[in-house]
Amino acid sequence: MGASKTASFSVEQNEMANLFKALAHPARIAIVDYLLSVDTCICGDIVEVLPLAQPTVSQHLKELKNANIIKGTIEGTAICYCLNPETIDKIEHHFGAIRQKLKNKCC
Amino acid sequence: MGASKTASFSVEQNEMANLFKALAHPARIAIVDYLLSVDTCICGDIVEVLPLAQPTVSQHLKELKNANIIKGTIEGTAICYCLNPETIDKIEHHFGAIRQKLKNKCC
DNA sequence: TTATTATATTGCAATATTACGATATTATAA
DNA sequence: TTATAATATCGTAATATTGCAATATAATAA
């Protein structure tokens, strides 16, 4: 086949898998890194920072936006991208919960 | 193309992307969930729990093992799988660091 | 030895992802 | 209006992922 059997898993499991899929590429990790490294959110220069062509960067940004990892607002002729703290928290909590459960185990 | 331009990004960025790739599938999230839900690590019944054929489950387990998210030790004729707390910590710290950096920003 | 049981590997078809040139869109500037 | 600049979308080729039947391997049991 090739398609994931999405319907066989819970909504939560698919949701987390989609979040991780959005982060499962070095270019998208680099975009997150860059957004963290600059002071403001006016970031019309992401394309120049990455070693990829403009359409490719645009596609990666779209995936991060679809996963709610970043937010984009139009700022004149440029677009202002920011990380979405809510989604970051969501992922961190997921691992916090895992670690809590791991504590109460033998291993 | 189709292949990621791995060489264009830092070791750390590729490392994190690979960790997320290993978690970017609902079946693998479900495996992690299941490993957390059982008391011990003797888990020869993962195949029965998932809605996938045995070779498919075996393949997903292999990917989690390659990413160091789970560890497997031979336990007689069965194999005992456990989560690897070190990797879980690593990912949680990654998001902890992101959240810290986000705090020191406007947005 | 020959079953039996549990897990891994191989091979392949279906689908998804990645990357980019060409082109379109959108907003401002002249 | 006609540039110009920034970003998005389309189309397509190369590669990766997913899933499973068939088969192989490894460890114990009879």
Side-chain angles (χ1 to χ4, degrees), chain A residues 10 16 22 24 42 46 63 66 70-71 81 99 104:
Chain A
S10 76
M16 290 313 297
I42 299 127
I46 294 180
E63 280 170 68
N66 286 343
I70 63 175
K71 295 184 279 191
Y81 282 114
R99 214 181 41 171
N104 308 328

Side-chain angles (χ1 to χ4, degrees), chain A residues 1-3 21 24-25 28 52-53 55-56 59-60 63 74 76-77:
Chain A
M1 306 252 166
K21 194 183 286 183
H25 193 287
R28 297 195 287 271
L52 296 169
T56 308
Q59 197 176 280
H60 284 306
E63 280 170 68
I74 295 161
T77 174

Side-chain angles (χ1 to χ4, degrees), chain A:
Chain A
M1 306 252 166
S4 299
K5 292 181 88 176
T6 301
S8 305
F9 299 97
S10 76
V11 174
E12 289 77 22
Q13 287 168 340
N14 279 297
E15 216 171 70
M16 290 313 297
N18 279 330
L19 275 180
F20 294 132
K21 194 183 286 183
L23 292 169
H25 193 287
R28 297 195 287 271
I29 298 288
I31 289 173
V32 171
D33 283 353
Y34 180 68
L35 286 180
L36 285 168
S37 76
V38 290
D39 280 340
T40 67
C41 278
I42 299 127
C43 329
D45 47 350
I46 294 180
V47 172
E48 271 115 81
V49 174
L50 293 181
L52 296 169
Q54 180 268 325
T56 308
V57 175
S58 187
Q59 197 176 280
H60 284 306
L61 286 168
K62 189 181 181 183
E63 280 170 68
L64 287 171
K65 230 187 316 180
N66 286 343
N68 270 308
I69 292 168
I70 63 175
K71 295 184 279 191
T73 35
I74 295 161
E75 198 81 27
T77 174
I79 288 195
C80 156
Y81 282 114
C82 285
L83 284 173
N84 185 351
E86 283 176 44
T87 306
I88 302 296
D89 279 5
K90 195 174 188 174
I91 303 175
E92 197 192 358
H93 288 155
H94 186 252
F95 286 101
I98 290 180
R99 214 181 41 171
Q100 269 306 313
K101 284 185 193 166
L102 274 181
K103 267 187 192 165
N104 308 328
K105 299 187 70 171
C106 46
C107 299

Side-chain angles (χ1 to χ4, degrees), chain B residues 1-3 21 25 28 53 55-56 59-60 63:
Chain B
M1 306 250 164
K21 195 184 284 183
H25 193 289
R28 297 196 287 271
T56 309
Q59 195 176 282
H60 283 306
E63 282 170 67

